């Protein structure tokens, strides 16, 4: 929340955690600030969307916190051990992946998270843009430093997609299908995209940045016309507003749990739950990799996260690409 008085974070932190809640004069004393400065901080917080009320003995209580991706709110109730324990929140960035890569290059630890309300140059897979309008989604990236071979990195995006699906299931009771490698779909429309970028040398991964874009609060008309037919949001799918902060805290927790399991045991134990959500397996698909198109029966996801398809009698293992279901076969 660095855009306003630097002590605003501490005010919110004390109000969230002090028991019993402090009065204004106690708060001023705790933070060693004048009552006038504290009053200005409350004004700034009110502008951000907070609502306060005075309860018994003059104690200040947060009656309503804004649904904004700000650090004090994200950490309030966050149950992770490493994910989000170093947290960088922005109102606007080009791309959270780019910021996370810069942080990783300067030594940021595993689990460092970058979140933005808006991305002006959100990156999608295969060189595409990712539409990241302000306030509507969760645009975030996490720095990861697993001791795995660079070949195994596809597993990270599969794990992130799986975590997203589990969070939606547990939190909203909606069914998410996964389109290899890592698109999250509800009702056949894309609600979540994942982009993993890495720095490696032959045989050794330096770090990976896993960026996740989740459409949360969009109405149909919030999507640009060209992606409208294929896109959806959690709010559209649930038919009611979805709290971004609560969802995001839960996602970070689910992602950390699955990621730690993946680093410890590999992808194999997670594949049965991935397969159960896959829309491709058992169907004829075309996978495009630039100019190369491979069509065949999607048979398997292997322990490296590769899609195995049977094409012209051969088993072909694909590392990446854009898969489409064939409806004409
Ligand atoms: C896709 O094409 O499906 C992947 C989209 C990934 C978008 C997310 S939003 C947060 C992070 N920062 C980016 O620039 N991209 C990823």
């Amino acid at each position: 929340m660095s855009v306003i008085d630097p002590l605003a974070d501490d005010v919110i932190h004390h109000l969230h955690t002090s028991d019993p809640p402090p009065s204004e004069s106690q708060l001023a004393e705790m933070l060693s600030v004048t009552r006038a400065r504290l009053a200005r901080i409350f004004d700034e917080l009110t502008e951000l969307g907070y609502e306060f009320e005075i309860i018994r003995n003059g104690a200040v209580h947060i009656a309503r916190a804004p649904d904004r991706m700000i650090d004090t709110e994200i950490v309030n109730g966050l149950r992770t051990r490493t994910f989000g324990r170093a947290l960088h929140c922005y109102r606007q960035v080009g791309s959270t992946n780019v910021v996370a890569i810069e942080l990783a290059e300067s030594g940021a630890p595993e689990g460092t998270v970058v979140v933005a309300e808006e991305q002006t140059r959100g990156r999608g897979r295969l060189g595409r843009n990712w539409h990241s309008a302000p306030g509507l989604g969760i645009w975030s990236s996490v720095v990861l430093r697993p001791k795995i071979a660079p070949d195994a990195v596809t597993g990270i995006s599969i794990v992130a997609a799986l975590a997203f699906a589990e969070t939606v299931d547990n939190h909203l009771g909606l069914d998410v299908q996964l389109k290899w490698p890592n698109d999250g779909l509800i009702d056949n429309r894309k609600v979540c995209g994942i982009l993993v970028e890495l720095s490696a040398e032959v045989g050794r991964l330096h770090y990976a940045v896993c960026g996740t874009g989740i459409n949360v609060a969009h109405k149909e008309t919030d999507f640009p016309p060209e992606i409208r037919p294929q896109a959806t949001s959690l709010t559209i799918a649930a038919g009611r507003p979805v709290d971004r902060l609560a969802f995001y805290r839960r996602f970070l927790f689910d992602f950390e749990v699955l990621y730690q399991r993946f680093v410890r045991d590999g992808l194999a134990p997670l594949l049965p739950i991935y397969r159960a959500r896959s829309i491709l397996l058992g169907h004829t698909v075309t996978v495009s990799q630039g100019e190369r198109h491979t069509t065949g029966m999607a048979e398997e996801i292997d322990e490296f996260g590769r899609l195995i398809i049977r094409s012209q009698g051969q088993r072909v293992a694909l590392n990446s690409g854009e898969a489409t279901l064939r409806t004409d076969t």
Side-chain angles (χ1 to χ4, degrees):
M1 214 188 292
S2 46
V3 283
I4 59 174
D5 190 309
L7 282 182
D9 264 351
D10 298 339
V11 169
I12 295 298
H13 177 73
H14 281 299
L15 293 178
H16 273 314
T17 55
S18 301
D19 188 19
S23 65
E24 279 193 54
S25 56
Q26 286 165 333
L27 251 184
E29 207 178 310
M30 285 161 135
L31 298 169
S32 308
V33 291
T34 61
R35 292 288 293 273
R37 180 165 170 200
L38 188 60
R40 278 197 302 276
I41 294 175
F42 274 117
D43 286 346
E44 290 178 326
L45 288 167
T46 306
E47 241 170 77
L48 262 181
Y50 280 95
E51 286 171 21
F52 302 97
E53 61 188 11
I54 306 294
I55 53 171
R56 62 198 133 59
N57 302 331
V60 184
H61 172 248
I62 299 177
R64 189 177 163 275
D67 189 27
R68 296 219 188 182
M69 306 303 282
I70 45 185
D71 39 15
T72 37
E73 292 306 326
I74 292 172
V75 297
N76 177 38
L78 183 65
R79 293 190 291 139
T80 57
R81 280 203 302 210
T82 52
F83 283 22
R85 294 300 160 192
L87 185 56
H88 301 256
C89 296
Y90 297 87
R91 283 204 173 167
Q92 188 192 68
V93 292
S95 154
T96 56
N97 266 26
V98 172
V99 177
I101 288 167
E102 285 164 6
L103 288 167
E105 288 289 339
S106 51
E110 165 140 300
T112 299
V113 162
V114 179
V115 181
E117 282 291 345
E118 178 183 9
Q119 296 185 117
T120 52
R121 282 190 299 281
R123 296 189 191 181
R125 288 180 63 233
L126 310 170
R128 298 188 187 123
N129 297 326
W130 180 260
H131 176 253
S132 323
L136 296 179
I138 297 169
W139 324 126
S140 86
S141 304
V142 54
V143 174
L144 300 168
R145 298 183 180 278
K147 290 191 174 51
I148 58 172
D151 289 357
V153 162
T154 310
I156 294 176
S157 59
I158 288 197
V159 165
L162 206 45
F164 169 73
E166 300 273 294
T167 307
V168 173
D169 205 343
N170 296 330
H171 197 77
L172 301 173
L174 296 172
D175 191 32
V176 173
Q177 293 191 301
L178 300 176
K179 183 160 85 73
W180 178 88
N182 48 26
D183 285 354
L185 312 177
I186 300 181
D187 301 327
N188 275 325
R189 291 175 172 215
K190 185 155 164 173
V191 65
C192 169
I194 289 155
L195 176 67
V196 176
E197 301 188 69
L198 69 152
S199 162
E201 60 195 83
V202 174
R204 193 168 81 93
L205 178 69
H206 300 155
Y207 63 82
V209 160
C210 179
T212 310
I214 304 172
N215 301 331
V216 181
H218 303 65
K219 304 183 292 306
E220 290 261 344
T221 47
D222 289 322
F223 292 109
E226 63 279 13
I227 63 169
R228 215 170 278 168
Q230 301 96 41
T232 192
S233 72
L234 295 177
T235 296
I236 295 171
R240 61 184 165 87
V242 172
D243 182 329
R244 278 189 307 165
L245 281 162
F247 184 87
Y248 185 54
R249 284 192 288 261
R250 185 68 202 251
F251 168 70
L252 278 183
F253 178 77
D254 291 339
F255 186 13
E256 181 182 275
V257 169
L258 288 183
Y259 168 77
Q260 284 169 349
R261 210 170 146 200
F262 162 69
V263 172
R264 199 183 57 228
D265 303 330
L267 200 54
L270 299 173
L271 288 176
I273 40 176
Y274 183 87
R275 288 186 193 116
R277 293 191 181 274
S278 166
I279 57 160
L280 299 185
L281 295 180
H283 295 278
T284 304
V285 300
T286 295
V287 179
S288 304
Q289 300 169 299
E291 294 304 301
R292 190 157 159 245
H293 307 284
T294 315
T295 296
M297 174 65 69
E299 288 192 338
E300 186 61 292
I301 310 282
D302 74 6
E303 70 273 25
F304 298 104
R306 296 177 305 186
L307 180 68
I308 311 292
I309 66 178
R310 183 161 296 276
S311 179
Q312 295 168 346
Q314 308 262 359
R315 268 168 72 88
V316 186
L318 299 166
N319 262 320
S320 65
E322 177 73 0
T324 38
L325 268 177
R326 299 289 298 249
T327 46
D328 54 335
T329 48

